[in-house]
Amino acid sequence: NAGVMQNPRHLVRRRGQEARLRCSPMKGHSHVYWYRQLPEEGLKFMVYLQKENIIDESGMPKERFSAEFPKEGPSILRIQQVVRGDSAAYFCASSPTRTGGHGYTFGSGTRLTVV
Amino acid sequence: RKEVEQDPGPFNVPEGATVAFNCTYSNSASQSFFWYRQDCRKEPKLLMSVYSSGNEDGRFTAQLNRASQYISLLIRDSKLSDSATYLCVVIHGSSNTGKLIFGQGTTLQVKP
């Protein structure tokens, strides 16, 4: 039973390019959360999705960032026209219920570097 | 003011020492509390939940003081393998989404 799978592990993009980060939740988990960790900072909530629905996107920057969790396939975090400030570790977590907490499992993260 | 505040450290202690971390949270509606561990900016992993009655797991003891909005983690008989960043985490009671609010983390370095 694989855990939460994120890919790629490392992603390098030039300024202005698009970044697509993928997250496959644990089997049986239909709740997905995305968090961002900037250098020397703690993790910050970005967005919470269930299959085909965005439930809470209060942590998403207003522009350039979007997320989806289609009926089939992984959840995708998309960053358009990346800038240096987007360089960070992006972690996905899945949970069998929306209460999370001790039901959370985190993926290994995607380290995005914008050059 | 940050919602969850921790002393970033680093805490440098010898093997076998007892070390305590503190955390304060600003939202009195917070209802669930956890300590996570993060190694070298890898993914965070749940260390333990924190209950009002206090709870213990081996060498680790967590305490919650709701009146003071204060959470603590005590590590006894420190091991080299305890070196990591410890993250204080809360879930707001008003949240029906289960999103975690993380502190910045406290770094522990255990020396031989």
Side-chain angles (χ1 to χ4, degrees):
Chain A
N1 182 18
V4 177
M5 305 300 291
Q6 287 190 251
N7 66 81
R9 292 291 299 272
H10 299 275
L11 182 62
V12 179
R13 284 287 177 266
R14 296 186 185 280
R15 281 177 294 172
Q17 290 185 318
E18 178 180 286
R20 281 187 179 235
L21 288 62
R22 295 175 187 77
C23 169
S24 296
M26 281 188 71
K27 189 175 180 180
H29 287 194
S30 59
H31 301 255
V32 168
Y33 300 78
W34 285 92
Y35 291 81
R36 176 167 69 173
Q37 187 170 31
L38 294 168
E40 309 304 323
E41 293 191 16
L43 282 83
K44 296 284 194 290
F45 168 79
M46 298 183 76
V47 62
Y48 161 48
L49 311 101
Q50 290 184 32
K51 282 288 186 181
E52 300 184 272
N53 291 301
I54 296 174
I55 307 301
D56 181 349
E57 54 182 348
S58 58
M60 288 279 269
K62 293 282 187 273
E63 297 176 348
R64 302 187 298 109
F65 285 71
S66 62
E68 63 177 10
F69 189 13
K71 188 176 180 181
E72 302 291 337
S75 175
I76 305 287
L77 180 68
R78 182 182 177 206
I79 312 172
Q80 296 178 292
Q81 299 175 311
V82 296
V83 301
R84 289 248 171 92
D86 296 333
S87 295
Y90 291 82
F91 292 100
C92 165
S94 73
S95 172
T97 67
R98 70 168 49 192
T99 56
H102 43 268
Y104 265 68
T105 302
F106 278 88
S108 300
T110 294
R111 272 100 185 134
L112 172 65
T113 302
V114 180
V115 297
Chain B
R1 183 185 173 189
K2 293 178 182 176
E3 291 189 73
V4 179
E5 296 213 53
Q6 296 182 249
D7 179 351
F11 284 61
N12 294 300
V13 303
E15 271 187 290
T18 294
V19 61
F21 304 138
N22 303 319
C23 165
T24 56
Y25 59 95
S26 60
N27 190 326
S28 59
S30 298
Q31 66 172 13
S32 299
F33 309 90
F34 308 91
W35 283 101
Y36 274 71
R37 169 186 170 136
Q38 187 176 31
D39 292 86
C40 298
R41 297 182 75 79
K42 293 182 178 178
E43 74 272 25
K45 293 183 179 177
L46 179 64
L47 180 65
M48 58 198 304
S49 301
V50 187
Y51 304 111
S52 296
S53 54
N55 48 300
E56 188 174 307
D57 183 1
R59 298 181 294 108
F60 299 82
T61 300
Q63 295 277 356
L64 167 64
N65 184 321
R66 285 187 183 272
S68 302
Q69 296 180 199
Y70 172 95
I71 306 162
S72 66
L73 177 67
L74 183 77
I75 305 175
R76 291 181 298 278
D77 188 24
S78 300
K79 311 290 185 193
L80 294 176
S81 57
D82 293 335
S83 298
T85 297
Y86 291 83
L87 307 171
C88 178
V89 184
V90 306
I91 296 180
H92 290 166
S94 58
S95 167
N96 63 352
T97 64
K99 67 185 183 188
L100 304 180
I101 310 297
F102 285 83
Q104 183 183 0
T106 298
T107 300
L108 171 66
Q109 187 68 42
V110 181
K111 307 281 190 185

